[in-house]
Amino acid sequence: MSGGIYGGGYEVGALVFDFGSHTVRAGYAGDEYPKLDIPSVVGVQENADVKNENGEVVGKAPKTFIGTTHVTVPREGCETKTFMKDCMGPFVIYYLSYIYLKMCDFTMHVVFSVENWDLFEKMLDHIYGHGLGAQSEFHPALFTEPAWNDRAKREKLCEIMFEKYKLPAFHLVKNAVLTAFANGRTHGLIVDSGATHTSAVPVFEGYCITHSVVRSPVGGDLIVDQLNKLLAQNNIDLVPTYRIASKEEVNEGEIPKWTEKKNIPKVTKSYDDYMKKLEKSVNVKVLEDLAMSILQCCDAPVDEEFAEKLPSSPYAFPNGLIKEFLADRVKVPEGLFDLNYLRDHPHKETLQNICQIANTSCGMCEPDMKSHLYSNLIVTGGNSLLPGFSERLNHDLAHKCPPIVKLRVSAAPTAMERRFGAWIGGSIVASLGSFQQMWISRAEYDESGCSIVEKKCP
């Protein structure tokens, strides 16, 4: 970093933060992958015991637990909360252009960002103090943000980082732009299918075309919900790992034999629901692990006869149950591309599938941009790791995009690059010498206040 910005005359490594609805990624600029990847949930115990130096309980006070190994410990009265909130209602398409919202008679405000700032600050305290072991006043910080983030929250983040954490410099960059940079592009259509939703964000010459952003609540959580309903239909009880003391090996189809732990604290429903997703390994959720182990996307719309002939895939549940999955392996993820496959979804008619999201976003862009976007369509996010995801999207879009357009759907070659695409892009950008003049410095913040973020972080 240039001494002209910070006044120190020496180089200091910038930090990159990528806050998502599923996990939080943080690390040093210039690194290949983030140093920290922890859940976006926080355990909150309102009346935790306060002990003195001798270990004696002297009172009660709220206490938070952050990080995978802390959140997963059963504690009495501990609620599992998140600082993120998605105000995505039952409607499907959210265009960030106010005029277009009026034309479509949509009235809700579109937000997917930080809502509980106290929990957010506790998460930052944990990252600085325990995750990275860094002092905030010595490290510039680059944060990713969604393309639909509003001005008030951008300014609030800027204020917190300068006032509480005393940053020497700060910057915000759209995560779609960083994903494009991580894939070596300055323009393209970024289709990000994550935990809570799937979005399509056009990027042209390094900037988001915000009035053409489209998103829908079709994502990993929907797959988890569909798997839950599939297990219920098959009378499979998902036992959370914190309740299992031991288990015996059984053959396929036999009733599982397991022993429940004794003296388990009385946990809250939010904690139990969260733990029902957890796998035997420390940081992989059971239903997500089930999805990645058995599910696959078909290259074309599912044919019932073909699906029944697919080879079965076995899965061993935490309590020892072994189950073979057949046609459901392709029917469950088919809901991402054909909404008719969704089981008992209350707002099915208001959703858009992934192909429609991408096609609608492209359709709202200028005609001379469309060929660049279709030929540089990049898929990212956790759902893109499903086998056949990119091929299926390419197949469906080929029937919708203009015939004269050369369609190319691409994805990063490794799972790590798809999961951490935005963070990797931020790591690249923050370490570039040409980027140093883009930082919001402490002097600029002191002079202009938090409104400077709108000028320097478009």
Side-chain angles (χ1 to χ4, degrees), residues 186-241:
T186 57
H187 54 258
L189 182 69
I190 312 302
V191 178
D192 187 348
S193 188
T196 59
H197 65 282
T198 296
S199 64
V201 182
V203 174
F204 196 75
E205 294 183 352
Y207 293 93
C208 284
I209 313 300
T210 54
H211 68 270
S212 300
V213 174
V214 179
R215 66 190 181 117
S216 178
V218 175
D221 289 349
L222 183 66
I223 295 296
V224 167
D225 177 64
Q226 294 297 301
L227 282 173
N228 250 329
K229 292 174 180 176
L230 174 64
L231 297 181
Q233 181 182 326
N234 287 273
N235 298 316
I236 296 175
D237 184 23
L238 191 62
V239 182
T241 53

Side-chain angles (χ1 to χ4, degrees), residues 391-426:
E391 292 79 4
R392 177 58 185 278
L393 181 58
N394 187 88
H395 174 277
D396 288 2
L397 278 176
H399 290 79
K400 290 183 175 293
C401 68
I404 59 173
V405 170
K406 181 181 179 181
L407 176 64
R408 182 186 177 190
V409 178
S410 62
T414 67
M416 293 285 279
E417 289 176 279
R418 294 195 202 186
R419 285 182 58 204
F420 304 135
W423 188 93
I424 293 171

Side-chain angles (χ1 to χ4, degrees), residues 93-108:
I93 311 173
Y94 295 87
Y95 304 103
L96 299 187
S97 166
Y98 178 77
I99 297 177
Y100 203 88
L101 284 168
K102 284 294 185 182
M103 290 170 59
C104 297
D105 200 28
F106 290 135
T107 55
M108 77 283 296

Side-chain angles (χ1 to χ4, degrees), residues 113-418:
S113 52
V114 176
E115 285 294 317
N116 190 323
W117 290 99
D118 289 337
L119 287 184
F120 174 76
E121 289 180 31
K122 291 184 183 300
M123 178 68 77
L124 277 176
D125 292 341
H126 174 84
I127 293 173
Y128 275 117
H130 298 89
L132 300 179
Q135 293 179 281
S136 58
E137 60 268 27
F138 297 129
H139 298 272
L142 182 146
F143 281 75
T144 70
E145 64 169 345
W148 49 87
N149 202 14
D150 63 11
R151 177 171 181 168
K153 288 183 170 57
R154 303 178 88 219
E155 292 184 354
K156 175 73 172 178
L157 176 60
C158 181
E159 181 182 3
I160 288 174
M161 298 313 295
F162 276 114
E163 296 295 339
K164 178 179 179 179
Y165 293 96
K166 310 297 182 183
L167 293 187
F170 169 82
H171 200 78
L172 272 174
V173 187
K174 302 289 190 291
N175 48 22
V177 172
L178 295 176
T179 300
F181 289 165
N183 285 269
R185 317 282 175 82
T186 57
H187 54 258
L189 182 69
I190 312 302
V191 178
D192 187 348
S193 188
T196 59
H197 65 282
T198 296
S199 64
V201 182
V203 174
F204 196 75
E205 294 183 352
Y207 293 93
C208 284
I209 313 300
T210 54
H211 68 270
S212 300
V213 174
V214 179
R215 66 190 181 117
S216 178
V218 175
D221 289 349
L222 183 66
I223 295 296
V224 167
D225 177 64
Q226 294 297 301
L227 282 173
N228 250 329
K229 292 174 180 176
L230 174 64
L231 297 181
Q233 181 182 326
N234 287 273
N235 298 316
I236 296 175
D237 184 23
L238 191 62
V239 182
T241 53
Y242 76 91
R243 288 175 49 194
I244 301 173
S246 62
K247 61 184 177 182
E248 297 180 20
E249 185 177 346
V250 297
N251 295 324
E252 180 191 347
E254 292 183 356
I255 298 175
K257 299 177 182 179
W258 60 282
T259 305
E260 187 164 4
K261 285 182 181 178
K262 299 178 181 180
N263 303 321
I264 300 175
K266 186 178 180 180
V267 300
T268 62
K269 184 179 183 302
S270 64
Y271 173 83
D272 188 67
D273 290 343
Y274 179 74
M275 288 298 293
K276 281 181 178 178
K277 298 178 181 179
L278 289 183
E279 231 298 288
K280 293 159 282 188
S281 60
V282 178
N283 57 2
V284 184
K285 297 184 178 181
V286 125
L287 290 173
E288 293 171 3
D289 183 68
L290 173 62
M292 299 309 296
S293 299
I294 68 168
L295 299 185
Q296 70 177 71
C297 299
C298 281
D299 294 346
V302 169
D303 179 82
E304 293 286 344
E305 184 177 348
F306 169 78
E308 295 296 337
K309 295 179 180 179
L310 282 174
S312 63
S313 180
Y315 186 81
F317 288 87
N319 64 347
L321 173 67
I322 299 176
K323 169 70 177 175
E324 293 273 354
F325 291 89
L326 300 170
D328 291 316
R329 292 178 55 205
V330 295
K331 289 183 178 179
V332 170
E334 185 68 13
L336 296 173
F337 299 93
D338 185 349
L339 302 176
N340 293 321
Y341 279 85
L342 296 180
R343 304 167 187 254
D344 306 321
H345 195 282
H347 305 295
K348 185 192 300 185
E349 68 282 354
T350 67
L351 301 177
Q352 274 198 326
N353 64 44
I354 293 178
C355 176
Q356 291 171 328
I357 294 169
N359 191 58
T360 304
S361 179
C362 262
M364 296 175 63
C365 295
E366 297 295 329
D368 57 343
M369 290 185 186
K370 292 180 181 179
S371 60
H372 294 286
L373 299 179
Y374 276 121
S375 61
N376 290 280
L377 194 150
I378 301 169
V379 296
T380 187
N383 296 323
S384 68
L385 298 176
L386 288 171
F389 182 93
S390 300
E391 292 79 4
R392 177 58 185 278
L393 181 58
N394 187 88
H395 174 277
D396 288 2
L397 278 176
H399 290 79
K400 290 183 175 293
C401 68
I404 59 173
V405 170
K406 181 181 179 181
L407 176 64
R408 182 186 177 190
V409 178
S410 62
T414 67
M416 293 285 279
E417 289 176 279
R418 294 195 202 186

Side-chain angles (χ1 to χ4, degrees), residues 46-61:
E46 295 294 344
N47 295 302
D49 292 337
V50 177
K51 298 181 180 180
N52 59 20
E53 296 178 356
N54 299 322
E56 300 171 341
V57 177
V58 295
K60 300 282 187 179

